[in-house]
Amino acid sequence: MTRYFVFFLMLFFLSFANAQHLQPGFDIAEYQEMLRINAGIYKTVDSTSGAVSKPMHATFQYRSPEMGLNNLYELWNTDGGAAVFCIRGSVDNNLSWLANLYAAMVPASGKLDIDTDFVFNYKLSNDSNAAVHVGYLISTAFISRDMLSKIDSLYQSGTKDILIVGHSQGGGIGYLLTAYFYQLQDAGRLPRDIRFKTYCSAAPKPGNLYFAYEYENRSFGWAYQVVNPMDWVPQVPFTVQKHLDLPGRNPTVPIASTIKKQGLKKRIAFKMLKNPSEKAVVNYQKILGKEVSKMVRKYLPNFKEPKYFPSNDYVRTGTQIILSLDEEYFKLFNERSDDGMMLHHSIEPYYYLAMRLKLPSP
């Protein structure tokens, strides 16, 4: 009897040890710790960034090699038993910034021919109208290839809670990684009982409205974008909306058919209203698609330029957490200082605001 009791007691403690501890909802302390992890990724494991302290409740496990468009990530374990995949943002070199500048849209499902032995077959959405940022998709391809083996090892050891976090470009990639992992779960290529929770901090816009709709429905309560209102990065890439970005049934359809029946002056006036946005999208795809892809091929010579999605309708994505500014903030982060265009974008101002963040009561 005692032997059976000990056996069941061991099973109880093992199940408790492997229980999932991540909870839905924005957790202020959790986000603060993610910023601490993020701060060290730009230097050495033990370094801090300015006024940002070292991680208090997480332990470093692994740092990936640089890959793709100068991307890398780190793996940490939290005291609560979750794993953290922290994706590095932009660094000061041309290859890293190409991931930002290669901002044409591609369909959210398809393939990228990256190298002779690397074809990335991907699905980030079930909606055929969904489209995403091609530069961040290339980064997602490289990072996910390395990350999947780590996820498998974590799962085999009993870890089923995974935080995905990134600041700036790292956040932009974080959106696509999260969407990709959800689709792998749907396809049976990742266990369904893995729980992902995502913090995209200071992140640029990752895709169009149809991508955002599905991402937000799928990740409701489990994915957040944190924004400093003075930060310009969450407002890019630039958005240009065409009438074709609207659903099939919309007011422009009957208007367009009616205009065809009108006189020459009215038809010209309608084209003048419609053409600027369409021309802008064509120009963006030429510059931020075709031209930048030539630069990408200098580093990835076998990369084949994909067919772009005919849109530039980028939108903010994920549940938004807007940080509150105060007078002290503007004293510390002074517009008249020489800190350049990243004054309000770096981890330090986000950490300052996060440490003073109080969410309104429900």
Side-chain angles (χ1 to χ4, degrees):
M1 180 67 72
T2 303
R3 184 170 54 189
Y4 287 113
F5 175 76
V6 172
F7 174 73
F8 285 115
L9 191 64
M10 289 175 63
L11 285 179
F12 172 78
F13 281 112
L14 282 173
S15 63
F16 181 80
N18 292 337
Q20 292 181 310
H21 300 289
L22 279 183
Q23 298 297 319
F26 182 79
D27 186 318
I28 295 175
E30 197 169 61
Y31 173 64
Q32 292 167 348
E33 183 73 347
M34 296 304 104
L35 285 177
R36 295 183 194 110
I37 292 173
N38 247 305
I41 201 170
Y42 296 96
K43 297 180 183 178
T44 63
V45 173
D46 295 322
S47 71
T48 60
S49 180
V52 184
S53 62
K54 296 178 181 179
M56 300 165 62
H57 307 289
T59 306
F60 173 79
Q61 299 295 322
Y62 168 78
R63 182 180 177 94
S64 77
E66 292 185 339
M67 62 190 86
L69 301 178
N70 205 214
N71 308 115
L72 66 76
Y73 71 92
E74 288 183 350
L75 170 61
W76 291 66
N77 285 343
T78 70
D79 293 348
V84 179
F85 286 113
C86 181
I87 308 149
R88 188 176 71 179
S90 306
V91 292
D92 191 18
N93 65 55
N94 292 337
L95 180 56
S96 178
W97 273 87
L98 278 180
N100 299 321
L101 296 176
Y102 195 16
M105 281 187 173
V106 291
S109 295
K111 72 171 185 174
L112 287 179
D113 290 298
I114 297 175
D115 207 338
T116 53
D117 59 349
F118 187 17
V119 177
F120 182 52
N121 292 290
Y122 66 92
K123 186 176 184 181
L124 309 182
S125 173
N126 294 308
D127 193 330
S128 60
N129 293 310
V132 295
H133 187 293
V134 66
Y136 298 155
L137 185 61
I138 294 174
S139 300
T140 297
F142 280 97
I143 289 176
S144 64
R145 185 170 63 166
D146 191 84
M147 205 177 272
L148 283 171
S149 64
K150 299 299 180 186
I151 293 176
D152 180 65
S153 297
L154 288 166
Y155 188 79
Q156 296 302 322
S157 67
T159 300
K160 300 179 182 179
D161 283 343
I162 296 177
L163 286 147
I164 297 174
V165 58
H167 189 84
S168 189
Q169 180 191 101
I173 297 167
Y175 286 118
L176 304 193
L177 271 173
T178 301
Y180 180 55
F181 290 155
Y182 281 152
Q183 291 292 334
L184 291 183
Q185 286 182 312
D186 289 347
R189 294 173 57 193
L190 275 180
R192 289 180 178 270
D193 55 345
I194 294 177
R195 168 59 71 187
F196 295 103
K197 189 172 186 180
T198 304
Y199 287 100
C200 296
S201 177
K205 294 175 279 189
N208 69 356
L209 190 61
Y210 298 101
F211 171 76
Y213 281 156
E214 186 170 326
Y215 177 88
E216 289 164 3
N217 278 329
R218 182 67 183 268
S219 65
F220 183 75
W222 293 96
Y224 296 91
Q225 185 197 12
V226 187
V227 175
N228 175 356
M230 295 300 293
D231 183 4
W232 61 272
V233 173
Q235 297 188 41
V236 297
F238 293 126
T239 295
V240 179
Q241 188 176 30
K242 305 185 301 179
H243 74 285
L244 292 176
D245 291 312
L246 298 172
R249 286 184 175 271
N250 68 77
T252 68
V253 175
I255 291 173
S257 60
T258 301
I259 289 294
K260 291 179 181 179
K261 302 174 184 177
Q262 304 302 313
L264 179 62
K265 291 182 180 179
K266 290 185 178 180
R267 294 203 305 272
I268 292 174
F270 179 73
K271 287 184 177 180
M272 289 176 65
L273 291 173
K274 186 179 73 169
N275 285 351
S277 61
E278 293 184 349
K279 288 181 179 178
V281 171
V282 170
N283 287 334
Y284 275 129
Q285 288 196 345
K286 180 179 178 181
I287 298 169
L288 301 179
K290 293 183 180 299
E291 294 302 318
V292 179
S293 72
K294 296 176 184 177
M295 302 178 195
V296 170
R297 283 198 295 274
K298 292 180 180 179
Y299 299 93
L300 302 173
N302 295 314
F303 173 71
K304 294 182 180 178
E305 184 181 15
K307 184 177 180 180
Y308 301 118
F309 192 85
S311 175
N312 217 72
D313 189 22
Y314 279 103
V315 300
R316 288 168 59 193
T317 303
T319 301
Q320 310 293 319
I321 303 296
I322 311 301
L323 300 172
S324 299
L325 306 175
D326 55 24
E327 290 185 9
E328 189 64 26
Y329 173 84
F330 289 103
K331 292 177 183 177
L332 290 171
F333 303 96
N334 193 317
E335 289 284 336
R336 290 174 292 181
S337 70
D338 296 326
D339 290 336
M341 65 179 181
M342 297 302 183
L343 171 64
H344 301 291
H345 176 65
S346 65
I347 291 177
E348 288 91 336
Y350 273 81
Y351 188 68
Y352 170 85
L353 294 172
M355 293 302 291
R356 287 152 183 78
L357 179 61
K358 294 181 180 179
L359 296 179
S361 301

